[in-house]
Every structure is written in structure tokens, then in C-alpha cells.
Amino acid sequence: MTFTFTELLKSISISVCTFFQFLKEVDVNMDTVSTKVDSTVSRLKKKYDVLLALYHKFERTCGLIYLEQPSSEISAELSSLLVLKNYWITFLLAKGKVLQVEDDLVISFQLLLCVLDYFIKLSPPAMLKEPYKSAVTAVTVNAPARTPRRGQNRSTRTSKQIDTDTKVIEVLCKEHDCNLDEVKNVYFTSFIPFLNSVGIVASNGLPEVEVLSKQYDELYLNNKDIDARLFLDHDETLQPDVIARSQLERTPLKNNPDEELNLILPQTPVRAAMNNIQQLIMILNSATDKPSDTLIMYFNNCTVNPKDSILKRVESLGHIFKNKFAEAVGQGCAEIGSQRYKLGVRLYYRVMESMLKSEEERLSVQNFSKLLNDNIFHTSLLACAVEVVMATYGRNASQSDGTSAETDLSFPWILNVFDLKAFDFYKVIESFIKAEPSLTREMIKHLERCEHRIMESLAWQSGSPLFDLIKQSKEREGQTDQPEPTSTLNLPLQHNHTAADLYLSPVRSPKKKASVPPLSGTSNPDAQPTATPQTQKPQKSTSLSLFYKKVYLLAYLRLHTLFFRLLSEHPDLEPLIWTLFQHTLQNEYELMRDRHLDQIMMCSMYGICKVKNVDLRFKIIVSAYKELPNTNQETFKRVLIREEQYDSIIVFYNLVFMQKLKTNILQYASNRPPTLSPIPHIPRSPYQFSNSPRRVPAGNNIYISPLKSPYKFSDGFQSPTKMTPRSRILVSIGESFGTSEKFQKINQMVCNSDCQLKRSAEVSAAPKPLKRLRFDIEGQDEADGSKHLPQESKFQQKLAEMTSTRTRMQKQKLNDGNDTSASEEK
């Protein structure tokens, strides 16, 4: 290519954002953009988003550092415009030289802080605002003379003085809620080697702009993409659209105008990324890089002590991770990768301990030898912990909604690094989330999205253990056996399986006839603590059963969303499409090998419409599919036809899907269609937070408001267990409270039904479920605990409930009045 992207934009006089939007419209109307072009444009957009976010941050930060009108003793050569130009071009050059990952927002920002530190030290104190002026003055007092000498490499002296010149970097990190140790790490391992490699020479207090610009030119012409120097000129080609600009400056909406001011944080991309990182670090501050005493106790209780193998695994995977991180990001960033891995290890030990405590409470055992000596379990748990850390640091500048945009280091990158199968990784996700209550909403969403990607496609790749499990399941009772019977689809999905259940779930071949030793301290519901007779058939896999239940649920939810957009006027078709879709996943699962769940969904929809004479073209299906969340154009543009041959989804339907399912599809045109599959029971996601106040069961007019976040980190991290009643829970029953005694009365009201249960438990071996403050597993509120006569109408029941509530409140007010008068008399 003989021209750059910026030159293209200038020649046709449009901005970056307009170009991206135009290309999207071309693709929607003509569907001619290849997946390769789409991928390249996506990377370019991410790079632009990062540069835009960093430049806005850079401008605001410089405004806080430098005086607008410095004193007359400052030479004209050190004007604010010249300073900005030096800063920005040096940063662009450092970013291009140090980083191979173009959309890494966090390391890029940390590198920008290093550039700021370097130039602030070169600036005369008279140009600076506080606290930077005092920091530079302190550096000047403690360090050798700062007068720049022409021809001398400033980086050499800076690197020697870094141990004593930390005042400025400390101020910068404090002002931006950035971790000081991490920025120092970037300074040592990346920035100083960069300064030495490019040979920057200081003249009149600053490096020569022309020299820097010439070196950046080489970089820009080699990449042929965006000339980021034009941000300095506010060039029209690099200006964001109105929506993007508003997102850069937005702050969270206040639910209540009376909320504390310290909860309002400017949610720019950089600020959001720093907040997430700061919260993760604060969570892990109390964790250690080695197993805790509690974990050592669990290890010692095992039949075979797993401690040595665990430590060796952590060490060996650490070397692999460090090398792979350096290959992906840049060789100068190897230590940065090592630092992030250490955070992952802390989280790994923390979650492992939490899991074991939970299992001990559930099973009343302490010997977890089988689980703790399982290599796949440990690799999966460590991979999940490291993924949480990587996703926290890998926030993209375009993630204004808090979701995780893909980067070079995003999932499933960690699976390749650890040589881990996606199906094995999936088994730990739900238990991981339950074991770590301090995970942020964004991290839970990210892990849930990882789970969805595994169920959509990653678990169906060739070489996945999933296919072996399905094959064994089919052989278990002959071909009539199913991975998960359709009769269970409309039953609630039970989220009570633990990691031990899934990793220790039977995977034995049905041909083997051997007795099974007891699993020491495991929670495998399929395993019996007695020897298995030789004639007993292999046990059903818990992991496969739960996986299929979740796949069916995800498949139906995605189908329902697409169906609503396209065929809402044909509601009778949805159960037919779902039946074909579910039949394919259950009986023709080989069609999913190296393919995507959504490909089968779209083909099922098209096939039923075709046989029912409903005019719905594939192009219309694809156009609607593009608008669904978390979709990729490669899903319908590049579908596996046969070995190493790919084509569009239409070709896949004609040559593969239709050929395999033609007989089944034609049955829907007859008077005796196949038996319809039941619609999956649709619960609230087990990972999502509540968005609105929820009513306390047992007939009391008490509502609980969701947890408020985020908190300002400079005020100290507040965990859910350490929050005050005001910051954790809001209670409203029509009047304000001033004393703690009144809150205790609320607790008594909530717990009233508990007393009845405890009394009945003394005489009954099977007590009824608690009617207390508890939300069921599926996210639905429990039924009201009030008892009514069967002949009562709903109106009578409601009237009785209101009367009872009013009577209780009147009594409470009367008691409150007596309490108040009694206290006054005292």
C-alpha cells in the first residue's frame, strides 16, 4: 500500500468515525467486506479509541501541571505549546517502540505517566503548578545539578537518579489513582531502555522536537495507519463524533440527588480502568504469593499431600506466562507480565481456600486429596484467576458500557498459554464467582461472557473432551441415551454444583469393569463410597449434564431474541424452530464440531420458514443477527463446510445442514409433525446483580435496595462485610429512623418465621423451607409467607394482608412512643 490511513481520510475529507460508520453501512447493504478487512478495521478502531482517550487525558493533565502564563523569566522556547508537542510525540514514539499491542490502554497510560515524569523534571519550577512545583524543587535539592548540557544523553543521568527522584512520579500516581509500583516497573523495564535506544538529546531543557518527529515519521509510515501527531492540531479527521465525546466526559447518573458527593467519579476510559485495577489490588493486598496456613492445613490433611506439585505448577506456568506475555506485548514488558501473574496467583490461592472452606461446611470432611491432586482443576482455577487480572488490566478505551471488548490478550488467550481445554476451564467459572464475593460487576459479566463463548463454540472445537463425554453418554444406555433428556428442559436449572462435582464427575469408558475406590472428601454426587459391582453401568457425567442444560438455555434465549425481531407475527413457528434446533444439538451434535451455536440457530430458523412457506431470506436473518449483542461477522461469513474449507452460512445450509437434516425438516410440513421440545425454564442469571429494590418475603412491607458502588478508593476500600448499614442497605417503611433499636425491631420482624421453623425442627426430621430473607436460586422472590384460606379470593387475601400490616405498624408506633417517653423520663 502506497498511502496511509490518515492520507486516505484527508483525500476524501472525512473523519475516522465517519469512515468507520460508512464502512459499516456498506457492509450492511452489500455484505461484501471480508472477515480479514473487518478484523483489520476493528483493530484500527481500537487503536484510535485508545489514542483518543489518552490524548484527552494528556491535555487535561498538562493543564493541571503547567501554568497558563508562566513568569517572564521563562524563555519563549519553553512555551506550553512546545511542551505539549514534546510530551505527546515522545509518548507516541515510546508507545510505538515499546508496545506491540496497540490497544493496551493501561500500559500505554502508565507509559504516558513516565513521559510526564521525565519532562516535569526537565521543566523549570516557575512553569509548574503545585504539587508538581514542590516535587521538582525537592528533586533539585536532593539530586545533582539539573542544568541540561547539550550533547549529553539525559536518560543516562535520569536512570542513575531514579532511586532519589521518585517525588514527581509519586505525585502523578496519587493524582491519577495509579499503582506506584507498577508505574516504576514500567519506568525501569520499558521507558529507560527506550530513552537509551533512541538517543534523545536534551537541548535548552527539552529534546529537539524535529528529531523526535522524524523518528515517529518512520514508525507511522511503516504502520501506514493513523498520524497521531494531528491530535495536537485538533485535526478534523481525528475528531470524535458527538456520542463518543459525551462518553469521554460522562459521569454516572445519580439515582438520588442527595447521595454523597464522594461517590461521583468521572468515568472516562482511563479513570474507569484505574478504578478497576485499584479495587483488584486492594482486594488482593491481604492475600499472599504462597499458600496460607489454612491451605497448608488442607494440604496436610490429604491422603497424598499436593503442596509440592501445586508450587511446581505455579512456578512452571509462571515462566510460560511471562514469555508468552512478552511475545504478545513486547519483550521489554516481560516483568510487567510477571507482576500481573503474581496478582493472579494471589487470587488463585484466595479462591482455592474459599472453595475448600465451603466444601468442608457442605460435606463435613477435610480430606480433599482427590480434588487437590487433580492437575486440570488447578490449571483451570489458576487460569481463571489470571484471566480476571488480565481482563481488569485489559480494559479497552471503547468499553464505555463496562463490557469486555476483545484485545490481543483477552480470552481465550489464557487457554492457549496454559494449554487448557475450554470445556475444562468452563467447569470452574461458576464456583469461582461464588467463592469470590469481592468480584466487581464487570468481572462477573466478563466471566459470564467467557462461559457463553465456551458454550457457543470453544467447547465444540476438535480435540475437546466434550465429544468423548457425549460419545460415552450415548454408549451408556445405547443410542437411546441423551446427554440431557428433553423432559428436564422446563425444570429449574440447579446451580448447586461445585467445582469438585464437575472435575471429579465420572468420565470412565463403559467397557471397563473395575471397582471404584471411594473419593476421599469429594462432593461428587455420582460417586458412592462403596465398591461398584462389576455389572454396574458407568455413571452419568455431572459435568456433561449441566453443560447441556446451560447450552439449551443459552440457545433458546438467543433464538427467542432473534425470533422476536424477525417473526413476532408468526408465534406458532417459535416452538417448531426450537424443536429442530434442540434436536440438532442433541442428536446431530457433530454438526457443532468446529462451528458456532448461532450458525445452527440461523439454519434452523431458515429451514422451518422454508418448509412452512414463510418468506424469510437468509440475508434478512443475517442483518438482524448483526444487531444482536456479542456477535461476530465471521460467524456467518466463514463457516466450516468440510475439512479446511470455509464458506458463507448459506453454502453451509445447502451443502451440510440441509443434507443432514432434510428428512427431519420435511416432517414439519406433514400433518404429524415431530413432538415439540419443551421450552427451557428461564431463570435470572445466577451471576447478575439485582437492579431494583426487592421485597422481603413473609408479608412485611420491607424492601432491600441493591448494593451501591463504586466507592472512592482514596477513602479506603469498603468490602461488603465491612460496610455501614447506610452504605450497604437502605430501608424504607414510611418513616425515618434515628436509633439502632428500631433497626433491631426490623430484624425481629424479618426473623419471626425463623422461630417457628426452629421449634418445628425439634420435632420434625424434614423441616419446611425457611420463610425468611432469602432469594431463591433462580433469582425469583419466594412466595409470600402469609397463610390464607383456600376459599378466600385474591381481593380478600390482599385486604387481610393490608389490614395486618397496618395493625403491626400502629402497634410499632405505639411502642416507639412508649420507648421515647420512657427514655425522656430517665
Side-chain angles (χ1 to χ4, degrees), residues 512-528:
K512 294 181 180 179
K513 295 181 180 180
S515 61
V516 179
L519 300 175
S520 300
T522 66
S523 56
N524 183 5
D526 300 322
Q528 301 298 324

Side-chain angles (χ1 to χ4, degrees), residues 276-284 343 347 388-389 392-393:
N276 284 343
I277 292 168
Q278 197 77 348
Q279 182 163 348
L280 177 69
I281 290 173
M282 287 181 176
I283 290 171
L284 298 178
L343 288 176
L347 186 57
V388 167
V389 174
T392 302
Y393 280 86

